[in-house]
Amino acid sequence: MGQQPTLTGLLESLDSSADAKAESNSAADRLSIGEVLQVIGERGYGPLVLILALIAALPTGAVPGIPSVCGISIALVSTQLIFGKAHPWLPKRLRQLSIERHRYRQVSRRLTPWTRRIDRLVRPRLTVLVQGAGTRLIGLACVVLGLCMVPLEIIPFAAAAPAFAIAFMGLGLTGRDGFWVLAGLVPAGLAGYFLYTLIS
């Protein structure tokens, strides 16, 4: 079995894809959801939902509509995880949505020292939570949390709570680390509180 992808490596892989686009004279000034799917999706569902959640949770998610787009994308991808689909798929309309690449790169480079620290904390443990039925339960949680991001976008920064919950769970799936799945319950609870406040 190959080495598990790291959070730092996933972030850097999107930068590398931009360099390849530039060399082929393709437009490289924007990062699309489709490119995230193409570059990250082949590595599995965990890395894909992790990156989509981080795009929504970090300053890149300050662009209006990005949390909703990422939330819907996460919900669709996670539904496929629940049903055991081999490779994730998104409709063309969602794949075409994008953000400015320089904004992503600025955030990614500021995060690198932190992601390297996180990578050292990820290791296989509590693996019962990230395999078999546990994987499908994580997929179900990501569907619910992803859909929560849509209404919560109207409250400043509130969509970051479910986004971070999904990011933790995605990190757990990626590194086969059930600890991070459990850690995701904390921001998930905060997301539930925000949603309750919104509808009450």
Side-chain angles (χ1 to χ4, degrees), residues 6-32:
T6 64
L7 177 53
T8 304
L10 293 172
L11 292 173
E12 291 176 345
S13 64
L14 290 176
D15 275 349
S16 299
S17 73
D19 295 335
K21 281 179 176 289
E23 290 175 3
S24 63
N25 296 319
S26 300
D29 59 336
R30 298 191 68 84
L31 173 66
S32 70

Side-chain angles (χ1 to χ4, degrees), residues 65 67-68 148-159 194-195 198-199:
S68 292
C148 284
M149 289 166 62
V150 179
L152 288 180
E153 186 176 354
I154 67 174
I155 303 176
F157 308 112
F194 285 146
L195 190 60
L198 182 64
I199 64 179

Side-chain angles (χ1 to χ4, degrees), residues 96-160:
Q96 290 176 334
L97 296 171
S98 63
I99 59 173
E100 294 177 338
R101 190 179 299 274
H102 77 85
R103 182 189 294 268
Y104 165 80
R105 276 183 157 165
Q106 288 172 350
V107 173
S108 175
R109 287 169 183 173
R110 286 201 299 266
L111 281 177
T112 297
W114 296 97
T115 59
R116 286 175 177 159
R117 292 186 180 95
I118 292 172
D119 288 336
R120 291 196 289 268
L121 299 175
V122 178
R123 60 183 183 275
R125 53 187 163 179
L126 300 175
T127 54
V128 67
L129 299 177
V130 290
Q131 60 188 11
T135 298
R136 287 172 168 77
L137 287 174
I138 293 171
L140 179 59
C142 288
V143 170
V144 174
L145 290 164
L147 293 177
C148 284
M149 289 166 62
V150 179
L152 288 180
E153 186 176 354
I154 67 174
I155 303 176
F157 308 112

Side-chain angles (χ1 to χ4, degrees), residues 81-101:
L81 171 63
I82 294 171
F83 290 101
K85 192 173 184 294
H87 302 288
W89 170 90
L90 286 173
K92 183 177 180 180
R93 190 181 183 96
L94 280 177
R95 294 200 309 268
Q96 290 176 334
L97 296 171
S98 63
I99 59 173
E100 294 177 338
R101 190 179 299 274

